[in-house]
């Protein structure tokens, strides 16, 4: 019965795919079809809420003992629920933006909607394959909802993340439709999806950090684990897009298209990180092991092994094929845009994953198992064929659209190497394809990493087809950053990184010298400072995105926490320095330059002279030659220097002569609030993350009952054990430790400043426990008290017999986190600023409401 909702949704998505502008003929039919796409998630959630034990997934992850809110959260505990949740968000956004966006041509509008409904159809096909409404076996006993997910924040965080990914894919649809239909004026349409998407992504990621801070035995909000780093990548892409309009000069449509594809592609990549089980894991699962039992050393090879992992593998390969096609279409677009020729294939390329998902779905139906490959649809495809999707669109385009590679006088270009070939020579026509094919093949083989080769191809293609490669320096910068990050992260060898870098700097090695029309630039000139400030947001975010992605690719077996912090510090420093120049743009340019130079000099001096001045874990190492205090000295002085100027820019300069009503819809005011919040958050990040070594044993304190143990600036007294087995919201038993905290005065315990109760929840059905973190909140920051896994197990064994008095000694992990409040204050300030930007966008551009064509004349 309930499975019929999926068939209705499939039918609705198919109708909308062929009739994307149905709302123009029948509003009722359009509303009904979009509602049918939402129906499967509503149906599955309702089954969890009423604990319908006739459905397998409800038995597996739900339970009558769960509170209603956690039953609802159980909807996305497995593979099937999130797909239906994602379809719901995609359908709702598609309905909101069902009419043409500002400046969107009729053909582009229809294609954008087709792409969105097509992706929803792919998700529904995969969901049908996994069968979320399958009948439960009478003897099946479920494990229940994961204990870590039985928290209030897990009711909110996952839906927001999938909503953010939906915004990213709508941005990709805007990019693809503009690419295929050669539509101009993409900026307004892109910002329509980017600005609210960035707000939702910031809210979702922040709530995930808050969940980690309050629930996990980490003692912090950010740990650079693969899942959170994966969700951070689309956020960076949205930040990049939101700053494209502020860079000097008008950004070309190709740049907006590339940014939109990056946002959508990284949303797919983040989904792969989460759902390609075992690829990013400290202990690799057997299904991602090679035949000889040893796991491949790169993410792509592990991911491709999942093609044989049943119907779950079909879902994973669908995302991978889409991601590779995004790269392939981007490469093809560089050729078509350079020759101003038509785009071969267009949206038809997405039939590849559609056919794969359809075959997988048909093979899962009763009676068709033997007639269709089903779960083996991708298993029969050679692994080496998947990377070729990144070059297949270009190959077909070269064969069907033999545009010539005419020489130009604009500047040095890679294709000038083919000018000696005759204009009618087939070699000249096919040379670009074979060059890029050999480029990818050589980099991939030399680096032994297909993803690294694909990223190199992504940056090299626009450089290769540029009429003047020296003017396409952003793409070269991306390629150089890729090479450097690959070497730093040990993702590739130094040789592979060096060859990659060399290929990207060729234009500057061979281009003829030209007389400069400029008298040179100086850091002390106002014009130069403004140029640096305006370019910094785009360049720094873009390069940092590349760095973060490469570090994630290198973290498939172990998270390289220190590398993220060490290599990220220069970007934070550069961002703060650029903000100094921007906020001082109307002042003395010499003063601005000397402030930056002087602060940097002092930072370096104290980083070498007094690295331990911040206390905490300043002396512990983060690399072979750096300690944590060194990183703090590099970034904190510049952040503190710019804090007040940015606050003044947001709260004083932007408010002049404006009412509160006008201010709440003013985009620059909101943007500067976001900058202020980010600076405040980064200051908190240094104190709560950079300066805290969570692997240091000094944070683990052994406490003896009724004795005050002095550690640092505080004293801790273990007073009593608290046990509870009834009236618990979740779990089967709770044991907590009451600890009195004292402030140390003159080397001795002074006044008691609070009582905390860290503990653990016991889950008998699974034999597991969950630490219950407690914090002592003070004006200066939090003190976090944690029971990690070993402590919880030890405490459980001691209290099994019910004799609490036998426990005289406990071990607790304690983190003193000064300035921890600034993390949440900065996050909240960023959200307020982003909300004002979205409100300003609605008010000024009318971009979130459907754009009525007749209004264009009025404007």
């Amino acid at each position: 019965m309930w499975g019929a909702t999926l068939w209705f949704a499939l039918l609705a998505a198919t109708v909308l795919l062929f009739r994307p502008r149905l709302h123009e003929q029948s509003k009722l039919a359009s509303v009904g079809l979009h509602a049918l796409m939402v129906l499967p998630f509503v149906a599955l959630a309702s089954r969890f809420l009423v604990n319908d034990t006739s459905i397998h997934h409800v038995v597996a992850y739900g339970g009558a003992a769960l509170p209603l809110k956690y039953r609802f959260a159980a909807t996305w505990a497995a593979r099937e629920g999130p797909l239906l949740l994602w379809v719901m968000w995609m359908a709702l956004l598609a309905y909101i933006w069902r009419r043409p966006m500002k400046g969107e041509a009729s053909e582009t509008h229809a294609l954008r909607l087709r792409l969105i409904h097509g992706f929803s159809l792919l998700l529904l096909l995969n969901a049908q394959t996994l069968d979320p409404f399958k009948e439960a076996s009478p003897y099946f006993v479920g494990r229940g909802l994961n204990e870590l997910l039985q928290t209030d924040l897990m009711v909110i965080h996952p839906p927001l993340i999938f909503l953010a990914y939906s915004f990213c894919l709508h941005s990709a649809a805007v990019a693809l439709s503009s690419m295929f239909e050669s539509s101009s004026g993409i900026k307004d349409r892109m910002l329509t999806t980017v600005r609210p998407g960035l707000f939702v992504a910031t809210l979702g990621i922040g709530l995930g950090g808050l969940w980690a801070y309050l629930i996990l035995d980490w003692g912090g909000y950010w740990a650079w684990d693969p899942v959170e780093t994966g969700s951070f990548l689309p956020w960076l892409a949205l930040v990049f897009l939101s700053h494209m309009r502020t860079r000097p000069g008008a950004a070309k449509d190709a740049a907006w298209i590339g940014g939109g594809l990056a946002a959508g592609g990284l949303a797919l990549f983040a989904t792969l990180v989460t759902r390609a089980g075992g690829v990013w894991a400290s202990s690799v699962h057997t299904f991602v092991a090679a035949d000889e039992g040893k796991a491949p050393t790169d993410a792509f090879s592990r991911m491709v092994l999942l093609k044989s992992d049943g119907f779950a593998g079909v879902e994973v390969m669908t995302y991978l094929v889409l991601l590779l096609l995004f790269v392939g279409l981007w490469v093809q677009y560089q050729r078509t845009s350079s020759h101003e020729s038509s785009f071969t294939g267009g949206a038809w390329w997405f039939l590849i994953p559609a056919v794969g998902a359809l075959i997988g779905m048909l093979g899962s139906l009763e009676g068709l198992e033997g007639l269709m490959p089903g779960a083996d649809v991708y298993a029969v495809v050679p692994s080496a064929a998947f990377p070729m999707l990144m070059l297949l669109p270009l190959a077909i385009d070269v064969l069907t659209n033999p545009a010539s590679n005419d020489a130009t006088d604009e500047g040095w270009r890679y294709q000038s190497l083919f000018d000696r070939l005759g204009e009618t020579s087939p070699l000249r026509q096919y040379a670009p394809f074979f060059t890029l094919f050999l480029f990818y093949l050589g980099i991939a083989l030399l680096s032994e990493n297909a993803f690294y080769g694909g990223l190199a191809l992504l940056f090299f293609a626009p450089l290769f087809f540029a009429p003047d490669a020296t003017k396409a320096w952003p793409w070269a910068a991306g390629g150089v950053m890729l090479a450097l990050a690959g070497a730093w992260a040990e993702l590739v060898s130094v040789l592979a990184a060096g060859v990659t870098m060399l290929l990207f700097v060729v234009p500057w090695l061979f281009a003829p010298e030209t007389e400069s029309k400029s008298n040179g630039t100086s850091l002390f000139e106002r014009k130069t400072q403004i140029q640096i400030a305006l370019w910094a947001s785009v360049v720094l975010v873009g390069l940092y995105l590349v760095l973060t992605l490469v570090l994630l690719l290198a973290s498939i077996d172990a998270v390289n926490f220190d590398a993220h912090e060490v290599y990220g510090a220069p970007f934070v420093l550069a961002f703060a320095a650029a903000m100094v120049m921007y906020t001082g743009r109307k002042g003395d340019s010499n003063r601005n330059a000397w402030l930056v130079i002087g602060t940097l000099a002092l930072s370096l001096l104290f980083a070498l002279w007094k690295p331990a001045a911040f206390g905490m874990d300043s002396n512990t190492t983060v690399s072979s030659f750096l300690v944590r205090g060194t990183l703090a000295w590099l970034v904190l002085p510049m952040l503190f220097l710019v804090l007040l100027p940015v606050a003044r820019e947001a709260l004083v300069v932007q408010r002049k002569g404006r009412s509160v009503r006008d201010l709440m819809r003013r985009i620059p005011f909101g943007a500067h609030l976001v900058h202020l919040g980010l600076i405040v958050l980064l200051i908190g990040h240094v104190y709560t993350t950079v300066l805290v070594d969570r692997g240091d044993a000094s944070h683990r304190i052994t406490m003896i009952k009724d004795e005050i143990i002095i550690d640092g600036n505080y004293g801790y007294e273990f007073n009593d054990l608290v046990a509870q087995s009834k009236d618990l919201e979740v779990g089967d038993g709770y044991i907590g430790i009451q600890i009195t905290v004292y402030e140390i005065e003159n080397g001795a315990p002074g006044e008691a400043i609070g009582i905390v109760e860290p503990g653990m929840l016991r889950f008998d059905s699974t034999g597991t426990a969950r630490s219950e973190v407690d914090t002592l909140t003070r004006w200066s920051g939090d003190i976090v008290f944690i029971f990690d896994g070993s402590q919880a197990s030890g405490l459980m064994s001691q209290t099994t017999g019910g004799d609490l008095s036998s426990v005289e000694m406990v071990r607790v992990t304690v983190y003193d986190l000064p300035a921890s409040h600034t993390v949440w204050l900065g996050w909240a300030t960023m959200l307020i600023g982003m909300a004002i930007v979205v409100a300003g966008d609605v008010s000024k551009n009318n971009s979130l409401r459907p754009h009525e064509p007749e209004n264009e004349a009025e404007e």
Side-chain angles (χ1 to χ4, degrees):
M1 170 186 174
W2 297 102
T5 61
L6 256 178
W7 288 108
F8 286 134
L10 282 165
L11 178 62
T14 303
V15 172
L16 288 171
L17 181 64
F18 288 99
R19 296 285 303 278
R21 301 172 66 176
L22 180 64
H23 58 274
E24 296 175 358
Q25 287 80 40
S26 173
K27 181 178 180 181
L28 181 62
S30 177
V31 171
L33 290 175
H34 284 86
L36 284 176
M37 294 173 67
V38 174
L39 190 58
F41 174 76
V42 175
L44 184 61
S46 71
R47 296 305 86 203
F48 274 97
L49 288 172
V50 301
N51 194 40
D52 186 349
T53 55
S54 67
I55 294 178
H56 174 86
H57 294 294
V58 175
V59 178
Y61 301 103
L66 286 175
L68 283 177
K69 57 186 176 182
Y70 298 151
R71 293 191 203 177
F72 180 63
T75 308
W76 46 82
R79 303 191 74 93
E80 298 80 4
L83 292 177
L84 302 182
L85 173 65
W86 206 350
V87 171
M88 180 186 75
W89 289 135
M90 292 294 293
L92 288 175
L93 291 181
Y95 186 78
I96 291 173
W97 289 316
R98 64 193 181 278
R99 293 193 175 96
M101 293 180 176
K102 188 174 182 180
E104 189 173 42
S106 176
E107 297 80 4
T108 309
H109 165 227
L111 181 55
R112 170 175 60 82
L113 292 177
R114 282 196 173 97
L115 291 167
I116 292 165
H117 295 313
F119 181 74
S120 297
L121 182 60
L122 275 176
L123 293 176
L124 287 167
L125 288 171
N126 281 310
Q128 178 64 57
T129 299
L130 296 168
D131 195 3
F133 297 102
K134 67 182 175 183
E135 186 178 348
S137 167
Y139 305 105
F140 176 70
V141 178
R143 180 187 183 277
L145 185 61
N146 187 301
E147 57 274 6
L148 291 176
L149 303 182
Q150 296 182 41
T151 63
D152 292 351
L153 287 170
M154 281 295 107
V155 182
I156 309 170
H157 166 65
L160 286 175
I161 291 299
F162 277 102
L163 177 56
Y165 292 170
S166 298
F167 277 108
C168 289
L169 286 165
H170 275 261
S171 298
V174 170
L176 288 167
S177 59
S178 300
M179 176 196 296
F180 295 151
E181 295 294 336
S182 300
S183 178
S184 60
I186 188 177
K187 181 187 77 172
D188 291 331
R189 300 197 297 277
M190 192 63 73
L191 290 175
T192 295
T193 61
V194 165
R195 283 169 170 163
L198 184 57
F199 172 81
V200 172
T202 305
L203 178 60
I205 293 173
L207 289 176
L210 186 60
W211 172 78
Y213 189 69
L214 297 176
I215 300 301
L216 298 184
D217 56 0
W218 167 252
Y221 74 99
W222 196 258
W224 292 110
D225 74 73
V227 172
E228 64 185 5
T229 306
S231 66
F232 185 51
L233 292 171
W235 184 88
L236 287 172
L238 293 174
V239 172
F240 178 87
L241 281 165
S242 66
H243 286 86
M244 284 277 291
R245 58 182 292 276
T246 65
R247 46 147 282 186
K252 294 182 179 179
D253 286 348
W256 289 103
I257 288 172
L261 288 176
L266 289 170
L268 293 172
F269 184 78
T271 307
L272 282 170
V273 173
T274 305
R275 298 175 73 84
V279 175
W280 274 270
S282 55
S283 57
V284 182
H285 295 78
T286 54
F287 59 81
V288 293
D291 293 339
E292 65 272 17
K294 182 180 179 182
T297 58
D298 68 288
F300 182 84
S301 298
R302 291 185 183 181
M303 206 172 287
V304 171
L305 288 178
L306 294 175
K307 66 183 182 178
S308 303
D309 190 38
F311 292 120
V314 175
E315 181 205 352
V316 170
M317 299 314 295
T318 298
Y319 303 138
L320 180 60
V321 169
L322 278 173
L323 182 60
L324 297 175
L325 279 176
F326 276 19
V327 177
L329 292 170
W330 169 251
V331 172
Q332 180 191 358
Y333 176 63
Q334 303 312 308
R335 180 176 187 267
T336 57
S337 61
S338 67
H339 296 293
E340 299 182 356
S341 57
S342 59
F343 203 98
T344 305
W348 293 103
W349 284 108
F350 295 110
L351 281 177
I352 296 175
V355 170
L358 179 61
I359 293 174
M361 187 272 288
L362 292 175
S364 69
L365 299 179
E366 186 176 351
L368 295 179
E369 298 96 330
L371 301 177
M372 304 292 288
D376 296 327
V377 59
Y378 287 110
V380 298
V381 180
S383 298
F386 289 98
M388 293 302 103
L389 288 173
M390 294 185 286
L391 288 162
L392 184 60
L394 176 64
I396 300 300
D397 187 60
V398 168
L399 290 172
T400 59
N401 189 10
S404 62
N405 303 298
D406 296 330
T408 66
D409 297 326
E410 293 188 38
W412 193 92
R413 59 196 184 96
Y414 285 88
Q415 295 187 78
S416 61
L417 301 173
F418 314 133
D419 289 344
R420 295 182 180 180
L421 301 174
E423 291 187 8
T424 59
S425 171
L427 290 177
R428 184 165 183 175
Q429 176 184 336
Y430 302 133
F433 167 75
F434 285 112
T435 301
L436 291 179
F437 173 78
L438 293 174
F439 172 87
Y440 169 76
L441 188 64
I443 295 295
L445 291 176
L446 188 61
S447 64
E448 299 180 350
N449 193 300
F451 273 143
Y452 178 84
L455 288 171
L457 177 65
L458 185 150
F459 287 114
F460 187 71
L463 192 66
F464 178 79
F465 285 109
D468 185 354
T470 59
K471 293 181 180 179
W473 61 266
W475 304 110
V480 171
M481 185 73 250
L482 173 67
L484 290 173
W488 293 338
E490 298 182 355
L491 178 71
V492 299
S493 66
V494 174
L495 174 62
V499 171
T500 305
M501 191 181 304
L502 179 62
L503 291 173
F504 277 97
V505 300
V506 162
W508 290 267
L509 298 178
F510 291 96
E513 293 187 9
T514 57
E515 293 184 8
S516 177
K517 297 180 181 179
S518 172
N519 295 323
T521 58
S522 170
L523 184 62
F524 293 88
E525 293 180 359
R526 186 190 310 277
K527 181 179 178 181
T528 301
Q529 292 179 9
I530 293 175
Q531 290 281 324
I532 290 174
L534 295 178
W535 269 112
S537 57
V538 175
V539 173
L540 290 177
V541 173
L543 296 181
Y544 182 66
L545 193 158
V546 176
L547 170 68
T548 306
L549 176 56
V550 171
L551 290 175
L552 177 58
L553 289 173
S555 301
I556 55 175
D557 288 324
V559 177
N560 198 340
F561 177 91
D562 294 341
H564 281 283
E565 298 297 340
V566 170
Y567 299 130
F571 288 90
V572 175
L573 176 64
F575 159 70
M579 290 304 298
V580 171
M581 295 179 182
Y582 178 79
T583 55
R585 64 192 181 280
K586 295 181 180 179
D588 186 351
S589 60
N590 287 322
R591 180 183 65 87
N592 295 338
W594 283 116
L595 273 175
V596 170
I597 295 171
T599 305
L600 180 58
L602 287 175
S603 295
L604 293 173
L605 175 63
F606 281 96
L608 296 173
W609 181 35
K610 293 285 187 180
F614 290 101
M616 303 177 69
D617 296 326
S618 298
N619 270 330
T620 59
T621 60
V622 289
S623 73
S624 57
F625 57 92
L626 290 176
V627 296
R628 294 177 182 275
T630 303
L631 294 184
W633 273 117
L634 286 177
V635 299
L636 278 178
M638 198 72 75
L639 288 172
F640 280 121
L641 174 68
V642 78
L643 178 61
L644 288 179
V646 172
R648 180 181 178 276
E649 182 76 32
L651 304 177
V652 178
V653 175
Q654 294 297 325
R655 290 185 59 183
K656 286 183 178 179
R658 298 182 178 92
S659 65
V660 175
R661 178 184 176 86
D662 291 339
L663 206 60
M664 291 298 104
R665 294 178 297 179
R666 179 169 168 76
I667 292 176
F669 172 65
H672 288 301
L673 272 185
V674 175
H675 297 152
L676 176 61
L678 179 58
I679 290 168
V680 173
L681 188 151
L682 288 172
I683 291 172
H685 178 81
V686 174
Y687 281 102
T688 61
T689 306
V690 176
L691 286 172
V692 180
D693 184 358
R694 288 174 169 81
D696 192 344
S698 65
H699 293 289
R700 291 187 283 275
I701 302 174
T702 300
M703 300 183 186
I704 302 173
K705 194 170 185 179
D706 298 326
E707 291 187 17
I708 298 177
I709 305 298
I710 297 177
D711 183 78
N713 298 322
Y714 302 97
Y716 308 102
E717 182 183 15
F718 162 40
N719 303 122
D720 202 2
L721 278 175
V722 178
Q724 184 180 355
S725 58
K726 297 181 179 179
D727 300 324
L728 293 170
E729 187 176 41
V730 294
D732 301 295
Y734 167 79
I735 299 174
I737 305 170
Q738 287 188 349
I739 301 171
T740 302
V741 184
Y742 300 88
E743 195 155 25
I744 301 302
E745 300 175 356
N746 299 321
E751 182 182 355
I753 58 176
I755 297 175
V756 294
E757 190 180 294
M760 67 129 188
L761 278 171
R762 190 181 72 251
F763 295 81
D764 293 340
S765 61
T766 57
T768 57
R770 185 183 84 191
S771 291
E772 289 293 282
V773 178
D774 201 3
T775 59
L776 178 63
T777 300
R778 309 192 70 199
W779 69 268
S780 58
D782 291 337
I783 306 175
V784 181
F785 298 80
I786 304 169
F787 273 95
D788 60 27
S790 61
Q791 293 168 332
S793 300
L795 188 58
M796 184 189 298
S797 63
Q798 289 185 64
T799 57
T800 300
D803 183 12
L804 301 182
S805 62
S806 65
V807 180
E808 295 289 334
M809 184 181 299
V810 294
R811 291 174 291 119
V812 182
T813 301
V814 180
Y815 296 113
D816 181 13
L817 304 177
S820 59
H821 304 328
T822 61
V823 171
W824 310 114
L825 176 62
W827 172 58
T829 304
M830 291 176 68
L831 286 174
I832 293 171
M834 290 176 181
I836 292 172
V837 169
V838 174
D841 198 38
V842 174
S843 177
K844 182 178 180 180
N845 300 320
N846 196 27
S847 60
L848 284 183
R849 290 178 292 178
H851 181 71
E852 301 289 353
E854 59 266 26
N855 291 341
E856 291 183 9
E858 297 176 7
E859 294 176 358

